[in-house]
Amino acid sequence: MRSRKSDPGAGKGDRKADRPTRTAYDKALGLLARREHSRRELAQKLERGGFARDESAAAVARLGDQGYQDDTRFAEALVRGRVGQGYGPARIRAELRSQGVGDATIRQLIEAADVDWEHLGAQQLRRRYGAPVADPAERARRAQFLLRRGFAAATVRVLTHADAEDPDDD
């Protein structure tokens, strides 16, 4: 004869009740295991998750002390990722500021990225639109695209006017 559980449905709904409650530290560590987070971002996620502000702050501070969370490392990863996605310096700077990274650190990281922004912008134009055009309305549309991606107005001007003046130049 087979042994059967007394009630096959018992325990399914009680699984959450059997688990120990997660601390803010555990939750934050789990978030950091997936990807880098800024201190501000971690604290916000913990507070939205129902943890008290004091507990969230203590967890984030502890993770920082242990080297699991580092705003500079987070910022470096963000810069690398956004450059790889074809974003310009203004967009990257704005995103870093929104994450609570200081202006001096931002300036240092963008300079250290050593990116040819003009070349990156030209790549984005080719990827999105293909061949250059002389139509002023289309050039304006392309300029807006580059500005939204965070490229400087001077870079955009060079790239969109280069399209009109020398379509064979790569």
Side-chain angles (χ1 to χ4, degrees):
M1 242 208 275
R2 293 183 193 166
S3 65
R4 296 186 331 183
K5 293 181 181 177
S6 60
D7 184 7
K12 284 188 179 181
D14 298 336
R15 286 186 182 156
K16 281 190 176 181
D18 293 342
R19 282 190 220 150
T21 58
R22 288 180 77 182
T23 64
Y25 177 84
D26 295 335
K27 172 77 174 173
L29 191 58
L31 291 168
L32 286 170
R34 291 174 186 86
R35 71 168 177 86
E36 294 286 347
H37 289 72
S38 69
R39 283 182 180 266
R40 178 184 288 176
E41 185 180 22
L42 269 180
Q44 288 172 346
K45 284 186 176 187
L46 291 173
E47 288 170 23
R48 279 194 307 256
F51 294 101
R53 180 170 284 174
D54 294 343
E55 185 182 3
S56 298
V60 172
R62 182 175 165 202
L63 288 164
D65 292 343
Q66 294 172 329
Y68 293 131
Q69 191 286 323
D70 182 8
D71 274 347
T72 303
R73 192 174 58 225
F74 161 78
E76 289 169 347
L78 191 136
V79 169
R80 274 192 313 274
R82 295 304 182 259
V83 167
Q85 294 169 342
Y87 288 104
R91 172 84 178 257
I92 295 169
R93 189 175 295 112
E95 190 169 352
L96 288 169
R97 275 192 191 122
S98 76
Q99 294 295 337
V101 179
D103 287 339
T105 304
I106 293 171
R107 191 172 30 261
Q108 182 182 30
L109 289 172
I110 289 178
E111 287 173 9
D114 195 31
V115 176
D116 182 352
W117 299 110
E118 195 172 308
H119 179 72
L120 183 61
Q123 282 181 323
Q124 293 305 303
L125 279 178
R126 277 193 300 276
R127 182 184 64 81
R128 174 75 179 233
Y129 296 105
V133 295
D135 177 40
E138 180 61 22
R139 283 189 7 230
R141 195 167 135 234
R142 292 176 185 202
Q144 287 301 312
F145 166 74
L146 288 174
L147 289 170
R148 281 191 306 275
R149 289 194 73 84
F151 290 93
T155 303
V156 171
R157 199 172 310 110
V158 166
L159 291 172
T160 55
H161 290 318
D163 283 352
E165 295 167 3
D166 192 3
D168 294 331
D169 188 24
D170 279 340

